[in-house]
Amino acid sequence: MLDIRNLTKRFGEVEAVKDVSISVPDGAFLVLLGPSGCGKTTLLRMLAGLELPSAGQIVFEGNTVSDGDRNWSVDPAKRNSGLVFQSYALWPHMSVRGNVDWPLKVMKMPKADRAARVEEVLTLLDIAQLADRYPNEISGGQQQRVAIARTIAPKPSVLLFDEPLSNLDAKLRVEMRTELMRLHRATGATTVYVTHDQIEAMTMATHVAVMNEGRVQQFGAPFDLVERPETAFVATFVGTPPNNLIPVLKTGTGTTVGGRQMPVTPPADTCMAMYRAETMTLSDTEGERTLPMDLVETSAIAGRTMVTGLRDGLRLTAIVDTPPRARIGETIQFRLPSQPDGWFDTDGERIE
């Protein structure tokens, strides 16, 4: 359904998107996940036709809609796609009904058919009662629903979302995530959704592309990214809490883990060991596999306690059954399991 081939976007000497290739099936919910400035919104804008690629191709349903190598692109209005902006971008002088009706009018759909379709999508988004109000008379969450209703009214085959929930409060974000998943099932449209919030990505997506510095670090199902991160960046960006990465160094007298000698056999002289938060524990005393850390945070999570320690730039997090007795700032001992949950080389690539 959606095929991105070696896509690159340059702004002067800056490469915002670097040689990205992704293919997703019809009806998929693809989330572009990454920190601010990683290139995910630039990629979305190229999918929407708002930016011309510097190289590579974008293919919708077997039809090329952008070709950076040949320097041409299909007009955004002719791509059979719809874009929901972060800022909603509603017409302030039009009612809710008028906003949703507008793209259908542009399509020259007959008036009776327009009215029926507007009523259908307003009911689907549960905002039919707001039809005669204006954007400044409804809440932010309701405005977001109107923006989505306007986008899906023409029945696009591809839906594009640019961080649509970032302006909502925490409770409303959770509710809207559920609504967007329900909407995806109801429309069957292939969806591309941009966010830096990994909880949104993990709960909504069928496919996730984790991006950093313009490149896709890993592409796959949410479960696969959590269970088997392919790069150090993915390991420390995906997961709640993310995995712990500790530097490991072979010396003439043994192996140091986080600066302390431990009975560990690494696959390389210099590498990084990955430990999941749920496999780490706390110890009351110093031992052969403990690291002393300054307690910086404790918080409840699903009936257990998340404990975070920091020392010399190294940050570790463990999920434990019983909270530590220490106070913030005091020293606690993190106990590592006998073997790491994964290894990464100094370039951040996974070592088998």
Side-chain angles (χ1 to χ4, degrees), residues 96-97 100 115-131 145-146 149-150 152 179 182-183 186:
V96 167
R97 179 183 284 108
V100 178
R117 179 59 179 164
V118 169
E119 193 65 31
E120 180 183 1
V121 296
L122 290 180
T123 301
L124 180 64
L125 272 298
D126 195 25
I127 50 175
Q129 71 279 11
L130 307 176
R145 289 173 184 260
V146 175
R150 181 183 59 186
I152 68 172
E179 286 300 306
R182 180 182 66 82
L183 179 66

Side-chain angles (χ1 to χ4, degrees), residues 150-173:
R150 181 183 59 186
T151 301
I152 68 172
K155 298 184 179 180
S157 58
V158 178
L159 282 174
L160 308 171
F161 292 90
D162 185 11
E163 302 198 50
L165 308 185
S166 60
N167 294 331
L168 305 180
D169 61 60
K171 181 175 182 295
L172 195 52
R173 284 173 74 114

Side-chain angles (χ1 to χ4, degrees), residues 73-284:
S73 180
V74 173
D75 187 271
K78 298 178 181 179
R79 295 187 175 213
N80 195 23
S81 63
L83 174 62
V84 178
F85 293 96
Q86 181 178 353
S87 60
Y88 314 149
L90 299 178
W91 294 105
H93 64 288
M94 291 184 181
S95 65
V96 167
R97 179 183 284 108
N99 268 278
V100 178
D101 180 63
W102 176 252
L104 304 179
K105 186 181 295 185
V106 172
M107 293 172 57
K108 302 188 184 305
M109 181 183 289
K111 186 174 182 179
D113 294 340
R114 294 202 323 261
R117 179 59 179 164
V118 169
E119 193 65 31
E120 180 183 1
V121 296
L122 290 180
T123 301
L124 180 64
L125 272 298
D126 195 25
I127 50 175
Q129 71 279 11
L130 307 176
D132 295 321
R133 296 190 190 180
Y134 288 84
N136 66 339
E137 298 174 335
I138 59 179
S139 69
Q142 291 168 335
Q143 289 182 44
Q144 183 60 280
R145 289 173 184 260
V146 175
I148 295 170
R150 181 183 59 186
T151 301
I152 68 172
K155 298 184 179 180
S157 58
V158 178
L159 282 174
L160 308 171
F161 292 90
D162 185 11
E163 302 198 50
L165 308 185
S166 60
N167 294 331
L168 305 180
D169 61 60
K171 181 175 182 295
L172 195 52
R173 284 173 74 114
V174 173
E175 294 175 356
M176 282 302 299
R177 285 206 305 264
T178 302
E179 286 300 306
L180 285 174
M181 288 189 286
R182 180 182 66 82
L183 179 66
H184 178 249
R185 293 192 299 270
T187 61
T190 302
T191 300
V192 182
Y193 185 102
V194 164
T195 184
H196 61 268
D197 187 329
Q198 59 156 306
I199 295 178
E200 286 183 14
M202 295 299 110
T203 55
M204 299 172 68
T206 60
H207 301 71
V208 179
V210 182
M211 297 187 66
N212 188 41
E213 297 181 347
R215 297 187 185 277
V216 172
Q217 296 274 318
Q218 188 171 350
F219 173 66
F223 179 82
D224 295 336
L225 270 61
V226 172
E227 287 300 306
R228 187 178 173 77
E230 292 297 331
T231 68
F233 176 81
V234 175
T236 54
F237 191 79
V238 175
T240 306
N243 298 301
N244 300 288
L245 280 188
I246 304 178
V248 177
L249 177 66
K250 278 186 181 180
T251 67
T253 57
T255 302
T256 63
V257 180
R260 298 198 67 199
Q261 280 210 338
M262 292 190 189
V264 174
T265 304
D269 289 347
T270 305
C271 54
M272 292 178 286
M274 182 188 86
Y275 295 92
R276 301 187 188 280
E278 58 268 27
T279 66
M280 300 185 70
T281 56
L282 300 180
S283 176
D284 292 331

